[in-house]
Amino acid sequence: MKKTSTIRVNGNMIFKGHKLTIGLDLGDRWSFYCVMDEAGQIILEHKLSTTPEAMKQTFAKIPRSLIALETGTHSPWVSRLLTELGHEVIVAHAQKVQLISKSNRKDDRHDARTLARLARIDPELLGPVRHRSAKAQIHLTVIRARAELVSARTALVKAARGLAKSYGERLRKCGTQQVSRELAAELSVELREVLAPLIQEVESLSERIKEYDARMEKIAKESYPQVELLKQVKGVGTQIALTYVLTLEDPQRFPKSREVGCFLGLRPGRRDSGESQPQMHISKEGDPYLRTMLVQGAHYILGPFGEDSDLRRWGLKLAARGGKNAKKRAVIAVARKLAVLLHRLRVGGEVYEPLRNSQKAMRAVA
């Protein structure tokens, strides 16, 4: 007869002789976990504090297990910690686990059980995602922090313009980065005195944003030389290129470059049924910030300052087809193609030729 050895965790017995599957429902303060054996029997259910110390204390004592948790604020550091402790970790895509997201019986205990059951049956049911490394995450945090400052600056500038209009005056049109006390000098004395502190905050934010810009350039130069490959495309600067590199991290995870467009939610959704094939909006899955950056790059490529290229010509043809949403569709399509192009440049390390396809076509005709 097989001997069963045990260990004690928080006063409960965990059987080491079994293949364990654990569902971990992460909360901001407290988390709940459910331990199942290979037969689907619940061995242990308990809650713990959502802190590194509590996670280590609990899961370091449990034999190597399959642990499933959902994406969320705490999932990056928790998944890394559990992996370091020797566990196999599956990070479930929260939006794809509809048994949890659309459940009419939602509580921490039930969610942990559901995660454990799905992971035990078939991990693919969880729509697993891969979190980036700690190094990539801290570098990406620089970009996200800068974005928050830009958003705050924009809000303050809008407030200043609105307040001036309500007093019957206007701030001269200019970019948010150009708003300064000199611009407010055109206002009346009483209004200028009221808005002066607000304008000073805008100037201060602009200085902090410049500091982040310098930090991004330094990070790209010292840690990610592949950024220069992506910047060969006019309309792709350090911010877009570095965000792209850090978000995808390992380009080899995509067997085909065209899969990147789907990964970033730039592909139309699909709801085919029989002969019905309705036209859907893009799925908007994946990282929303990188998707926004690629759309901004697409606007530049199709705009008046965009360089002549195969991508620009293709996008302008789409926009010229007419229709109410032709320009919007063209921008999204170019953003998707841009995502694919950047992946090809990064994987192949090629020199970018803006008119490669057009030149091939001309030589074929000749």
Side-chain angles (χ1 to χ4, degrees):
M1 185 175 179
K2 182 179 178 182
K3 181 180 178 182
T4 302
S5 60
T6 61
I7 60 174
R8 183 172 296 275
V9 178
N10 294 334
N12 298 283
M13 304 304 290
I14 300 283
F15 294 93
K16 287 183 69 175
H18 292 281
K19 182 180 179 181
L20 303 176
T21 303
I22 302 174
L24 177 60
D25 184 68
L26 296 174
D28 189 50
R29 298 285 184 179
W30 296 93
S31 299
F32 202 95
Y33 66 95
C34 172
V35 182
M36 287 185 178
D37 62 17
E38 61 270 24
Q41 296 296 320
I42 297 175
I43 300 176
L44 172 66
E45 291 181 306
H46 212 278
K47 74 174 183 178
L48 73 161
S49 176
T50 310
T51 62
E53 295 75 19
M55 292 287 174
K56 288 178 183 178
Q57 184 178 2
T58 298
F59 293 103
K61 299 176 182 178
I62 299 179
R64 187 178 189 277
S65 308
L66 177 64
I67 302 179
L69 52 98
E70 283 186 293
T71 52
T73 302
H74 296 284
S75 62
W77 69 263
V78 172
S79 62
R80 287 195 294 267
L81 186 150
L82 295 177
T83 301
E84 291 171 0
L85 292 176
H87 297 287
E88 180 183 353
V89 181
I90 299 174
V91 182
H93 193 309
Q95 295 179 353
K96 293 187 178 181
V97 189
Q98 296 189 10
L99 286 174
I100 294 177
S101 61
K102 294 186 177 181
S103 175
N104 56 5
R105 182 192 171 190
K106 189 164 177 59
D107 60 67
D108 297 342
R109 182 189 296 269
H110 186 265
D111 292 349
R113 288 182 179 182
T114 302
L115 286 170
R117 289 194 174 101
L118 291 174
R120 189 181 69 84
I121 296 170
D122 184 359
E124 289 301 315
L125 294 173
L126 297 170
V129 301
R130 184 193 304 181
H131 278 312
R132 59 188 61 89
S133 66
K135 177 185 175 182
Q137 185 176 355
I138 194 63
H139 287 162
L140 194 58
T141 301
V142 173
I143 298 174
R144 298 291 174 81
R146 178 192 181 278
E148 292 297 328
L149 290 184
V150 171
S151 178
R153 181 177 66 181
T154 300
L156 288 178
V157 171
K158 284 183 177 180
R161 292 189 182 281
L163 292 170
K165 286 180 182 179
S166 67
Y167 197 68
E169 302 184 37
R170 288 178 182 270
L171 284 170
R172 179 165 40 86
K173 287 185 177 181
C174 65
T176 53
Q177 68 276 13
Q178 298 172 317
V179 174
S180 62
R181 278 168 284 187
E182 286 73 18
L183 188 68
E186 302 172 2
L187 302 175
S188 60
V189 176
E190 58 271 21
L191 184 59
R192 186 166 64 245
E193 290 179 353
V194 172
L195 296 183
L198 194 151
I199 299 297
Q200 289 176 8
E201 288 300 320
V202 172
E203 290 180 321
S204 177
L205 288 173
S206 294
E207 290 299 318
R208 302 292 83 75
I209 291 169
K210 288 179 182 178
E211 292 174 5
Y212 273 119
D213 288 338
R215 188 178 296 185
M216 282 195 303
E217 293 290 346
K218 184 179 179 181
I219 290 172
K221 184 177 180 180
E222 295 180 352
S223 302
Y224 305 97
Q226 58 269 45
V227 166
E228 291 301 318
L229 284 172
L230 308 190
K231 288 172 65 176
Q232 295 180 92
V233 182
K234 299 299 182 184
V236 176
T238 300
Q239 185 179 358
I240 295 178
L242 185 59
T243 304
Y244 188 93
V245 169
L246 292 173
T247 303
L248 269 61
E249 196 167 11
D250 179 15
Q252 302 300 333
R253 61 194 287 198
F254 302 100
K256 297 181 180 179
S257 294
R258 66 178 61 182
E259 294 180 6
V260 179
C262 300
F263 173 74
L264 296 175
L266 290 166
R267 275 279 188 185
R270 182 182 299 174
R271 194 172 296 224
D272 296 355
S273 179
E275 296 182 0
S276 175
Q277 296 181 337
Q279 191 175 44
M280 307 286 289
H281 295 292
I282 59 173
S283 65
K284 292 187 178 181
E285 295 179 342
D287 189 270
Y289 185 74
L290 177 56
R291 185 166 58 250
T292 300
M293 289 290 97
L294 290 172
V295 169
Q296 287 184 9
H299 274 291
Y300 181 89
I301 290 171
L302 294 176
F305 304 107
E307 180 188 49
D308 187 21
S309 64
D310 293 327
L311 186 56
R312 175 181 169 83
R313 292 182 181 184
W314 180 79
L316 290 177
K317 284 183 180 179
L318 287 181
R321 290 180 180 178
K324 184 171 64 174
N325 296 318
K327 179 64 183 296
K328 291 181 180 178
R329 290 176 180 172
V331 169
I332 296 299
V334 169
R336 182 171 63 249
K337 285 261 190 181
L338 179 59
V340 175
L341 171 61
L342 295 180
H343 185 264
R344 286 305 313 153
L345 291 175
R346 188 180 175 193
V347 171
E350 304 171 6
V351 174
Y352 174 57
E353 299 178 42
L355 295 170
R356 181 178 181 180
N357 293 335
S358 299
Q359 291 171 353
K360 277 186 178 180
M362 291 178 62
R363 287 195 294 268
V365 172

